[in-house]
Amino acid sequence: SLYRLYEKEWEGGDCGLLLRLVIYRPCLICLGHFKNVLNDTTSLPGFENLTVGYNKYLRPYFGGEPVQIAMSLDVASISSISESDMDYTATVYLRQRWTDPRLVFHGNKSFTLDARLVELLWVPDTYIVESKKSFLHDVTVGNRLIRLFSNGTILYALRITTTVACNMDLSKYPMDTQTCRLQLESWGYDENDVIFTWLRGNDSVHGIEKLRLSQYTVERYYTLVSKSQQETGSYPRLILQFELRRNVLYFILETYVPSTLLVMLSWVSFWITLDSVPARTCIGVTTVLSMTTLMIGSRSSLSKTNCFIKAIDVYLGICFSFIFGALVEYAVAHYSSSQKCAAKGPANELTKEMEEVNITNILHSSITSYKRKISFTSVEISSDNVNCSDLTMKTHEKIKCVLRNKMHRIIGYFTIQNPSNVDHYSKLLFPLFFMVVNVFYWAYYLYF
C-alpha cells in the first residue's frame, strides 16, 4: 500500500521525499509524526505540535458559535461584458480570513505556507452565485495562498476568473446604465455555522474604480451583506454591486451621425425641380436603401436581444420615416403636377361648351325681342323662319355638362393647385419637425 511504501522509504533513511514536503524548515520539530499526515487527523508537516488531533472535516468552534469569515476583493479586470448573453467575465482576487483556535501558537510571527497544504486545513465552502463558469488559475502552480498568524487567524487567497450572469435592461441602449452583481455565498454552512462579513465595508473592494473598459465606465459600487433564504436554511451572502454606464460617443459616431446625414441628404431633393424625375427618384431610393442597411447592421450586433425595443432602434425608425416621407413627398408633388397638366384639356372643352350655351341664349332672346318690338310692312319676320335647333343643346347633354362641372369642383378641393408649393413647404417643415423630434428624443432618453 501507499502507506507502507512511504514507511519503508523513511526507515531506509531516504529523506528526500520527506524534505520535499517540509515548507518551513526551522519549524520542523518532530519527524516521527510523519505517518500522521495520512491519518484522518492529519497534521501539518512542520507544525505537528499545533495540529495533533486537528480534523479538517470539522469547522472551528464546532458545535459552538459560528465562524466569522471576513472577505475582501481585488478586481483585476473585467474582460468582457456581453449584452447578447447578459453576463460579464471578471478576474478577481478573493481573500478570506477566519480564526481557528486549534492553530494558535506563541509569538507574533506569521508564516506563509505552500498552497498545496490547503488540503490539510478546513476552508470555507464559498461559491459565486449565478456563475455560469469559473476556474482557478494554475500557472505555474495553483494560484492560492495560505498564511498562518500566531493568534490562529488564517488568510486564504485565490485568483479566480468567472463568468457571472447580469440581468440587463436594454430599453435605453446605448444610453443605458447597467447594474451588475458579484455575490458570494456559503454552499453548505448556514448562518448558524458561518457568518460572512466584509473586512472593511466598501474599502474591502479594490481595483474596480481603476478599470478601463471598452464601452463602459464604472459609475459607483458598494457592498452589501445579505441572506439567502432557501428550503434547507438561511445562508450568509455578500454582495458587490456596481453600476456601469455605457459610453455613447462610439454609437454617436457609428450610427447616429450617419443616420442623421442620410436624413439631411434626402432633403436635397426638395431643391430639385419636379421635372427631374431620375435625379429625385435616385436620391430617394438610395437614401432608403442606405438607411435599411444601417438598421440591419445595428440589429445584427445584438441578434439575441431583438425582443427589446431599444433607444437606437427608435431613432433609426424616426430617421427611416423622414427619409421615406421625403420620397413620398416627391411622388405626391409629381402626381399633382401631372394631374394639373391633364386637367387643362377637359377644362378647355368645358369652356367652349359653356360659350356655345351662352351664345345660343343670347341669339334666342335677341330674335324674340326683335320680333315683338319691330314690325315692317314690306317684310314679315317670323320666328318660324329662324331654325334654333342647331343653336341649342340637348337636355341630356346639359345634365352631363353640369355633373362634370360639379365633379371637377369636388376634385378641386382635394387637388393641390400649385404642386411647386409642396417642395416649398417641405423645405421648411421637414427640418423643423426633425429638430423637434430630436429634442424630445434626447430629452427623454437622457433625463427620464
Side-chain angles (χ1 to χ4, degrees):
S1 65
L2 182 62
Y3 173 81
R4 291 178 180 176
L5 176 62
Y6 286 168
E7 185 178 19
K8 183 177 180 180
E9 289 181 354
W10 171 247
E11 291 176 353
D14 184 5
C15 298
L17 178 62
L18 177 61
L19 293 177
R20 284 194 294 271
L21 292 176
V22 176
I23 304 303
Y24 194 79
R25 185 174 300 177
C27 293
L28 181 61
I29 300 176
C30 180
L31 299 179
H33 292 88
F34 173 66
K35 297 180 182 178
N36 292 333
V37 176
L38 302 175
N39 294 336
D40 289 337
T41 56
T42 55
S43 50
L44 261 62
F47 291 91
E48 291 83 352
N49 59 332
L50 300 178
T51 59
V52 173
Y54 183 91
N55 192 341
K56 68 177 182 179
Y57 302 111
L58 300 179
R59 67 172 180 85
Y61 309 105
F62 180 76
E65 61 182 17
V67 183
Q68 297 277 348
I69 300 176
M71 296 191 185
S72 62
L73 274 176
D74 278 0
V75 181
S77 65
I78 297 180
S79 57
S80 66
I81 301 175
S82 174
E83 291 84 5
S84 57
D85 296 329
M86 290 198 176
D87 59 27
Y88 68 92
T89 301
T91 299
V92 299
Y93 298 97
L94 174 62
R95 297 183 176 90
Q96 305 176 82
R97 290 176 173 82
W98 69 93
T99 300
D100 193 338
R102 296 172 293 181
L103 298 177
V104 176
F105 61 90
H106 295 288
N108 55 1
K109 294 183 179 181
S110 62
F111 303 106
T112 300
L113 309 179
D114 191 289
R116 288 168 288 188
L117 291 178
V118 72
E119 304 297 335
L120 306 177
L121 296 174
W122 178 90
V123 294
D125 56 349
T126 307
Y127 78 101
I128 301 175
V129 183
E130 296 180 346
S131 174
K132 295 183 178 180
K133 57 181 179 180
S134 301
F135 65 90
L136 179 67
H137 291 263
D138 55 1
V139 178
T140 57
V141 294
N143 295 173
R144 297 182 294 184
L145 176 136
I146 289 289
R147 182 169 295 168
L148 181 62
F149 296 86
S150 59
N151 61 351
T153 299
I154 300 175
L155 170 62
Y156 180 40
L158 301 168
R159 183 185 176 211
I160 304 171
T161 295
T162 179
T163 300
V164 185
C166 178
N167 295 325
M168 300 182 181
D169 181 11
L170 299 176
S171 59
K172 291 188 176 182
Y173 176 91
M175 292 168 283
D176 55 332
T177 299
Q178 304 298 337
T179 301
C180 296
R181 291 184 172 187
L182 180 62
Q183 304 180 81
L184 304 172
E185 185 177 322
S186 174
W187 175 256
Y189 294 105
D190 59 16
E191 59 182 358
N192 296 321
D193 295 317
V194 296
I195 296 177
F196 283 0
T197 59
W198 290 106
L199 184 63
R200 291 179 295 272
N202 285 350
D203 294 334
S204 304
V205 179
H206 302 281
I208 192 170
E209 70 280 355
K210 299 179 181 179
L211 293 179
R212 294 295 179 266
L213 307 178
S214 58
Q215 291 188 16
Y216 291 91
T217 301
V218 180
E219 285 283 283
R220 62 193 184 99
Y221 66 92
Y222 47 90
T223 57
L224 300 172
V225 178
S226 180
K227 297 179 182 179
S228 174
Q229 191 66 39
Q230 301 181 16
E231 184 179 356
T232 55
S234 179
Y235 297 88
R237 176 181 293 186
L238 297 181
I239 301 174
L240 168 62
Q241 186 164 303
F242 52 95
E243 294 182 359
L244 301 172
R245 180 175 55 84
R246 195 183 305 273
N247 299 323
V248 72
L249 181 60
Y250 166 79
F251 297 93
I252 290 177
L253 299 177
E254 183 74 12
T255 304
Y256 283 91
V257 170
S259 59
T260 304
L261 292 177
L262 285 176
V263 174
M264 298 174 66
L265 179 62
S266 67
W267 298 340
V268 175
S269 62
F270 301 152
W271 277 264
I272 303 176
T273 60
L274 294 175
D275 297 335
S276 303
V277 177
R280 296 194 65 164
T281 305
C282 180
I283 292 177
V285 174
T286 302
T287 51
V288 168
L289 294 179
S290 300
M291 195 67 211
T292 303
T293 304
L294 194 63
M295 294 174 68
I296 294 174
S298 174
R299 296 182 67 86
S300 62
S301 60
L302 297 174
S303 58
K304 295 182 181 180
T305 61
N306 288 337
C307 55
F308 288 91
I309 300 178
K310 301 179 286 295
I312 194 170
D313 297 331
V314 174
Y315 190 82
L316 292 177
I318 292 172
C319 294
F320 184 84
S321 301
F322 274 89
I323 292 175
F324 188 77
L327 183 61
V328 172
E329 181 273 342
Y330 173 66
V332 172
H334 187 266
Y335 176 78
S336 301
S337 178
S338 302
Q339 289 296 105
K340 184 178 180 180
C341 294
K344 290 182 180 180
N348 294 334
E349 295 178 359
L350 181 61
T351 303
K352 291 180 180 180
E353 292 177 355
M354 295 302 296
E355 289 178 355
E356 291 178 357
V357 172
N358 293 333
I359 292 172
T360 302
N361 293 333
I362 293 172
L363 290 176
H364 187 272
S365 60
S366 298
I367 293 173
T368 303
S369 61
Y370 183 77
K371 176 183 175 182
R372 292 177 178 178
K373 295 182 179 180
I374 302 175
S375 61
F376 297 93
T377 55
S378 59
V379 181
E380 183 180 354
I381 299 177
S382 175
S383 62
D384 296 334
N385 295 334
V386 181
N387 187 6
C388 298
S389 60
D390 296 333
L391 301 176
T392 59
M393 294 182 64
K394 296 180 180 180
T395 306
H396 69 277
E397 291 180 353
K398 290 182 179 181
I399 297 174
K400 183 178 179 181
C401 179
V402 172
L403 291 177
R404 186 184 301 175
N405 187 23
K406 290 187 176 182
M407 287 297 297
H408 279 286
R409 288 181 180 179
I410 295 174
I411 295 173
Y413 288 115
F414 301 97
T415 303
I416 300 174
Q417 300 300 326
N418 190 359
S420 61
N421 287 338
V422 178
D423 284 343
H424 179 72
Y425 292 130
S426 297
K427 294 175 185 178
L428 176 64
L429 295 179
F430 269 75
L432 180 62
F433 285 155
F434 188 69
M435 291 177 61
V436 171
V437 171
N438 268 270
V439 169
F440 282 102
Y441 174 85
W442 292 103
Y444 175 77
Y445 282 105
L446 289 178
Y447 300 105
F448 294 98

